[in-house]
Amino acid sequence: MNQQYSSALLERAVDEFAKLPGIGRKTAMRLVLHLLRVDVGKIDAFTDAVSTLCHEVRYCSVCHNISDDDVCQICSNPARDASTICVVENVQDVMALEQTQQYRGLYHVLGGVISPMDGVGPGQLEIESLVQRVDEGGVDEVIFALSSTMEGDATNFYLFRKLMKYPDLNLTVLARGMSINDELQYTDEVTLGRSLINRVPFTCK
Amino acid sequence: MNQQYSSALLERAVDEFAKLPGIGRKTAMRLVLHLLRVDVGKIDAFTDAVSTLCHEVRYCSVCHNISDDDVCQICSNPARDASTICVVENVQDVMALEQTQQYRGLYHVLGGVISPMDGVGPGQLEIESLVQRVDEGGVDEVIFALSSTMEGDATNFYLFRKLMKYPDLNLTVLARGMSINDELQYTDEVTLGRSLINRVPFTCK
């Protein structure tokens, strides 16, 4: 046992917290000492929530989002527009789009982007299942909502090649341009150039 | 269920993490998604470590430090000098002093400092048990190692009043002065003044 810790149990708990990303040993110690001060019932709620999630987590068989059931709440919601599929990298992206409250279609979570540098090829992503969803019919539009990085663009291109064989399918991509509240002089030249090329008719909405 | 989360289990786990101090919902989400990627066995190790600590935690009956047994490893170590007691506020302070590797005596964890503003009086701290340890004999020196704040100083004074009745007991306090590597011009005037008054003979050690 490390000389520094007076209790092996304490050290073990700190070790476990320190394994989490972005949590160092000092923060881990602070969190553990906080847990020692709270009710034992609340500790049980904490460990149970983590344990239950990790043991019972499922992924939606349609869109591959995290789900409690075989099909997630978004895919099984009849109020949502099943003719539009928005392709995203991961679960957080679904949440970010849901928070905008601007989208009523369905999603498709790829599980990443094509990145040969990180050893991620098309085969490791949920691309075949996307093509299959389109192939089954009823889809009018696929929105590419990936990161605007080189890897995201490469994945967009790969998806485009896979889906261009469906003549009635609209393939769209999220608009790139100045962020809301950005000052023009501080916008990088690539973004600004793209904003200029993709300018849209002015409306007073 | 919040519209944002596709899984109630996920939301519950994020909620629990977000209750920890200094962890917001975004960080909580990142931690939970990290846990989802690791082995289920590692999750069990994590929840078990937290749960075991909080259910089985004990405090040393001598020094009140966190301990696995009735008496902690420091108090039960025969190699340590039982005639010196270092009075600290909390468990982290014991660790900080242990890390200096300059102290071979025992500790006494008060559990805080006297702070009328926060409703902490001498009765809530382990002061009586300290007096009792001294009263049982065998103690030559008590070192006050509390924070150098107003509350720490008030607690030092209170302890001094309680312990001054033992004529053979040395009462000492940690030296206050410039930190190592501090530049003189940026040291605050109170600290600098104290450093000057408490100057010590120069040695080439």
Side-chain angles (χ1 to χ4, degrees):
Chain A
M1 193 176 78
N2 194 316
Q3 183 60 45
Q4 198 193 139
Y5 293 89
S6 59
S7 154
L9 293 177
L10 178 70
E11 186 178 11
R12 212 179 110 212
V14 171
D15 281 350
E16 287 294 336
F17 262 104
K19 284 180 192 165
L20 296 175
I23 307 254
R25 295 198 72 80
K26 287 219 168 176
T27 306
M29 186 70 198
R30 194 163 50 81
L31 296 178
V32 169
L33 289 173
H34 165 83
L35 289 175
L36 277 176
R37 277 193 297 271
V38 307
D39 239 36
V40 166
K42 287 189 183 155
I43 304 296
D44 294 341
F46 172 79
T47 54
D48 183 59
V50 173
S51 180
T52 310
L53 172 69
C54 294
H55 280 93
E56 294 180 15
V57 68
R58 296 170 69 175
Y59 293 89
C60 172
S61 60
V62 179
C63 73
H64 308 284
N65 192 3
I66 289 180
S67 170
D68 293 342
D69 306 294
D70 182 49
V71 176
C72 78
Q73 301 219 344
I74 294 173
C75 289
S76 59
N77 185 346
R80 298 198 68 128
D81 172 16
S83 69
T84 312
I85 295 177
C86 181
V87 180
V88 294
E89 269 180 68
N90 55 42
V91 177
Q92 287 109 306
D93 296 341
V94 173
M95 289 186 180
L97 285 163
E98 282 297 287
Q99 270 198 311
T100 66
Q101 303 194 343
Q102 299 290 328
Y103 184 64
R104 302 303 301 163
L106 306 184
Y107 293 94
H108 191 87
V109 180
L110 285 186
V113 283
I114 297 171
S115 172
M117 292 281 278
D118 303 315
V120 181
Q124 281 127 292
L125 305 176
E126 292 291 349
I127 292 176
E128 273 317 303
S129 54
L130 173 66
V131 176
Q132 209 179 323
R133 278 176 83 177
V134 172
D135 204 58
E136 282 164 5
V139 180
D140 296 333
E141 181 178 1
V142 172
I143 305 170
F144 299 154
L146 303 179
S147 298
S148 60
T149 56
M150 214 153 66
E151 289 81 9
D153 286 345
T155 312
N156 281 341
F157 188 66
Y158 186 89
L159 293 174
F160 175 77
R161 292 270 302 264
K162 280 277 184 184
L163 296 172
M164 62 189 285
K165 63 184 173 188
Y166 301 98
D168 297 334
L169 186 66
N170 287 310
L171 296 174
T172 57
V173 66
L174 292 192
R176 278 103 193 251
M178 285 174 70
S179 294
I180 308 303
N181 269 339
D182 257 10
E183 285 189 49
L184 194 132
Q185 59 180 325
Y186 301 121
T187 306
D188 72 279
E189 67 272 22
V190 181
T191 303
L192 196 55
R194 193 74 86 89
S195 281
L196 193 62
I197 293 167
N198 296 340
R199 64 192 182 277
V200 291
F202 180 78
T203 56
C204 285
K205 262 208 291 194
Chain B
M1 195 177 76
N2 193 316
Q3 182 61 45
Q4 200 192 137
Y5 293 88
S6 58
S7 154
L9 293 177
L10 179 69
E11 186 178 11
R12 212 179 109 212
V14 172
D15 281 349
E16 288 294 336
F17 262 104
K19 284 180 191 165
L20 296 175
I23 307 254
R25 296 198 71 80
K26 285 217 170 177
T27 306
M29 186 70 198
R30 194 162 50 82
L31 296 178
V32 168
L33 290 173
H34 166 83
L35 288 176
L36 277 175
R37 277 192 297 270
V38 306
D39 239 36
V40 166
K42 288 190 184 155
I43 304 297
D44 293 341
F46 172 79
T47 55
D48 183 58
V50 173
S51 180
T52 310
L53 173 71
C54 294
H55 280 94
E56 293 178 17
V57 69
R58 295 170 71 174
Y59 292 90
C60 173
S61 60
V62 179
C63 73
H64 308 285
N65 192 3
I66 289 180
S67 170
D68 293 342
D69 306 295
D70 183 48
V71 177
C72 78
Q73 302 220 343
I74 294 172
C75 289
S76 60
N77 186 347
R80 298 198 68 128
D81 172 16
S83 69
T84 311
I85 296 177
C86 181
V87 180
V88 294
E89 272 180 64
N90 55 42
V91 177
Q92 289 108 307
D93 296 341
V94 173
M95 289 187 182
L97 285 164
E98 283 296 289
Q99 270 197 312
T100 66
Q101 303 195 342
Q102 299 291 327
Y103 183 65
R104 301 303 301 162
L106 305 185
Y107 292 94
H108 191 88
V109 181
L110 285 186
V113 282
I114 296 171
S115 173
M117 292 281 278
D118 302 315
V120 181
Q124 280 128 291
L125 305 176
E126 292 291 348
I127 292 176
E128 273 317 304
S129 55
L130 173 66
V131 175
Q132 210 179 320
R133 278 177 82 178
V134 172
D135 204 58
E136 284 164 5
V139 181
D140 295 334
E141 181 178 3
V142 173
I143 305 169
F144 299 154
L146 304 179
S147 298
S148 60
T149 57
M150 213 153 67
E151 289 80 9
D153 286 344
T155 312
N156 281 341
F157 188 65
Y158 185 90
L159 292 174
F160 176 75
R161 292 272 303 263
K162 281 276 183 186
L163 296 172
M164 62 189 285
K165 62 182 173 189
Y166 301 97
D168 297 333
L169 187 66
N170 287 310
L171 297 175
T172 56
V173 67
L174 291 192
R176 278 103 193 251
M178 286 176 68
S179 295
I180 308 302
N181 269 338
D182 257 11
E183 285 189 49
L184 194 133
Q185 60 180 324
Y186 301 122
T187 306
D188 72 278
E189 67 272 22
V190 181
T191 303
L192 197 54
R194 193 73 87 88
S195 283
L196 193 62
I197 293 168
N198 296 340
R199 62 192 182 278
V200 291
F202 179 77
T203 56
C204 285
K205 262 208 291 194

